[in-house]
Amino acid sequence: MASDDPHPGIRIVRPLARDAHRESMLVQVEGESGGPAVLVRPLDALGSKRCLREIAGLHRAHGSGLVALVDVLDDGFGPALLRSHVAGPTLAAALAERERWAAGEAVSALHPVVGAVSRMHASGVAHGTLDARCIVLGQEGAVVASVAAAVLFAPGSSAAVLDRSEHVARDRAALRGLAREVLGRVAGARAEAAAELIAVVDGIADRDLLATLAEGLAELAAPVPYRPPSVSAVAASASARIVPIRLSTAEGAASGDPAHDDAAPVDAGQAPSVARLQRVLSRLAHTVAGLPPLRRRLAVGAAAAVAAASLMLVLTPTGHRAPIAGGSTPAPIAPVTDASAREEGDERVGARAAALQGDDPLAALAVLLDRRDECFATLSVLCLDEVDQTGSAALAADRQAVAALRAGEEASSHSVDAAGARVVERLGDGALVELGPETAPASLLMMRSEAGWRIRDWIARG
């Protein structure tokens, strides 16, 4: 199939992924029953074999929690497949951006996947590479978005045969690890019940894992769709982990606040950093106290900024996981379970929130455009509220563009780089900014409110 000569009734919207053996593209299937879909094409003989295995796997185990096989097409190297398109963030992305989940969100993220994997094993299919990156959190619940490395065996195999399969064992270990990770984030009234389910999952035999996990999730809570966090919410969560330090302008001293020692304890690994920070702030405060009144006010403002930036260095991850019992080793989920990675993510979110609340519209613009790209990449309408002003023309246009992309249509939307941006006019909490290449500049209007800077409108282009 030539790139400019697609299959009849299928219009290519944009490429999604490509490797040496296969490529996948978001397409629009024409006709009354059409809609967005993903076209997966083989590029060589090995790619053709993988497509055949995926076609067989999706056909055998079709149902809830598994992406649907829409059609099979004849292509140059063999059959290509059309599978349904699921809009939403991956489970890996959701775990990276949310430290605390509602019990219903955890059930929505796990229960459909457990059912899909159980059905796959019963129909003679092992996923083989199951992890948080291949699970998409759609509005109807989690979906295993592909089975590109599917391993096929005899349908209806006995429990003994399944127990001997290394690929089945790999799926079970992956689910055990995912369950521990997601359930360990449950907060609120059902947190204790989630912790008890983790203990059960850790101690259960492999062959009983799927049935026990499915039953436990059904009893834990009713499923609710995953909701991405706002920048301000995540920043608040990050700031809750900062060791409180008070800068007293009246006394000219900086010290730890003992009233909050129980609420924000300092662990042994942090103590040296906190002590150094307190000594620096103390010296700074004494210096400020000796300045003339006018210079003192300016210096105090600078000191507060230094303190706020320094506090980012003492963020500590929170959240308690249930102890791991038994000798079961889950599949690694390093990108989302590593404590340092979560700490770096909190620092990044805190810096973004500070830029949105600050006085520099250009610093805020870089954050807004970066977040806007994330919204379009995940086709999320909700996260656009963190980019565009409520009720603005910019929000209406961006929502329309995301809706078009979700439908598999082409959407024309502004996409520019914040590099080289300049403020054309500044009036109070509003700023007119020009950015983009000189041959096709764009001007946008930004406004600042209690929520921080937001894009109000794209004024002109070209």
Side-chain angles (χ1 to χ4, degrees):
M1 178 180 74
S3 60
D4 57 351
D5 184 25
H7 290 288
I10 298 176
R11 177 170 55 84
I12 295 176
V13 177
R14 57 186 172 90
L16 294 176
R18 181 187 176 99
D19 59 25
H21 309 292
R22 307 198 317 171
E23 66 177 357
S24 60
M25 292 165 285
L26 178 64
V27 301
Q28 175 70 24
V29 180
E30 308 293 349
E32 295 183 0
S33 60
V38 177
L39 173 63
V40 183
R41 299 179 57 235
L43 300 177
D44 58 14
L46 179 56
S48 179
K49 291 180 180 179
R50 291 180 179 176
C51 283
L52 285 171
R53 285 201 301 268
E54 183 165 12
I55 291 169
L58 294 178
H59 175 69
R60 288 186 184 184
H62 68 280
S64 175
L66 181 63
V67 66
L69 177 65
V70 177
D71 203 354
V72 177
L73 309 171
D74 187 20
D75 204 80
F77 287 102
L81 65 120
L82 271 178
R83 62 184 185 221
S84 60
H85 172 62
V86 184
T90 65
L91 178 56
L95 291 173
E97 68 182 2
R98 281 275 299 279
E99 180 66 22
R100 287 290 174 260
W101 289 39
E105 290 177 318
V107 172
S108 179
L110 290 173
H111 196 268
V113 177
V114 172
V117 173
S118 180
R119 198 170 56 250
M120 288 170 65
H121 291 176
S123 59
V125 183
H127 191 284
T129 57
L130 184 67
D131 62 19
R133 294 169 297 179
C134 66
I135 298 171
V136 176
L137 303 182
Q139 286 300 308
E140 303 300 324
V143 175
V144 180
S146 83
V147 290
V151 177
L152 306 178
F153 51 91
S157 296
S158 65
V161 172
L162 294 179
D163 290 344
R164 290 196 298 268
S165 170
E166 62 174 308
H167 304 290
V168 169
R170 195 175 301 161
D171 288 353
R172 291 169 173 173
L175 271 177
R176 198 188 296 268
L178 288 172
R180 184 183 295 115
E181 179 64 28
V182 175
L183 292 173
R185 294 167 183 256
V186 171
R190 301 298 292 165
E192 185 176 348
E196 292 176 356
L197 182 54
I198 291 176
V200 171
V201 167
D202 284 337
I204 201 72
D206 283 352
R207 66 165 54 184
D208 299 323
L209 172 67
L210 296 178
T212 302
L213 187 54
E215 182 180 352
L217 289 169
E219 294 177 354
L220 180 63
V224 297
Y226 170 81
R227 292 184 63 84
S230 63
V231 171
S232 57
V234 182
S237 174
S239 63
R241 305 181 197 142
I242 298 176
V243 178
I245 294 179
R246 180 178 57 213
L247 178 63
S248 172
T249 56
E251 300 175 2
S255 64
D257 188 352
H260 296 284
D261 283 350
D262 292 338
V266 181
D267 62 29
Q270 279 190 333
S273 298
V274 174
R276 286 196 300 271
L277 178 58
Q278 291 175 338
R279 288 196 297 270
V280 170
L281 291 178
S282 179
R283 289 196 299 269
L284 178 60
H286 285 298
T287 302
V288 169
L291 294 175
L294 178 60
R295 293 187 63 192
R296 183 185 306 168
R297 286 195 295 271
L298 295 175
V300 166
V306 170
S310 301
L311 290 177
M312 300 306 299
L313 300 178
V314 292
L315 291 175
T316 111
T318 61
H320 303 283
R321 302 289 187 266
I324 299 174
S328 174
T329 303
I333 317 175
V336 295
T337 59
D338 183 76
S340 63
R342 286 200 298 269
E343 185 172 345
E344 291 176 4
D346 288 340
E347 291 181 9
R348 180 174 61 88
V349 172
R352 289 168 60 173
L356 292 179
Q357 294 291 342
D359 190 57
D360 185 357
L362 295 184
L365 178 60
V367 173
L368 291 173
L369 293 180
D370 180 63
R371 182 58 172 161
R372 186 170 177 268
D373 288 342
E374 294 175 1
C375 296
F376 275 88
T378 59
L379 299 182
S380 172
V381 175
L382 292 176
C383 87
L384 288 172
D385 292 334
E386 305 169 22
V387 177
D388 301 317
Q389 189 179 37
T390 302
S392 67
L395 180 59
D398 282 349
R399 282 178 172 175
Q400 184 177 5
V402 169
L405 289 174
R406 280 184 169 183
E409 301 171 0
E410 296 181 12
S412 58
S413 59
H414 299 286
S415 180
V416 291
D417 192 338
R422 66 186 186 91
V423 177
V424 177
E425 184 176 353
R426 175 73 186 269
L427 182 61
D429 288 330
L432 183 64
V433 180
E434 184 180 272
L435 71 169
E438 295 182 0
T439 54
S443 297
L444 59 84
L445 178 62
M446 299 175 61
M447 299 296 294
R448 183 172 60 172
S449 65
E450 292 182 359
W453 287 98
R454 295 291 189 271
I455 298 174
R456 181 180 179 88
D457 197 6
W458 296 82
I459 305 298
R461 178 111 184 153

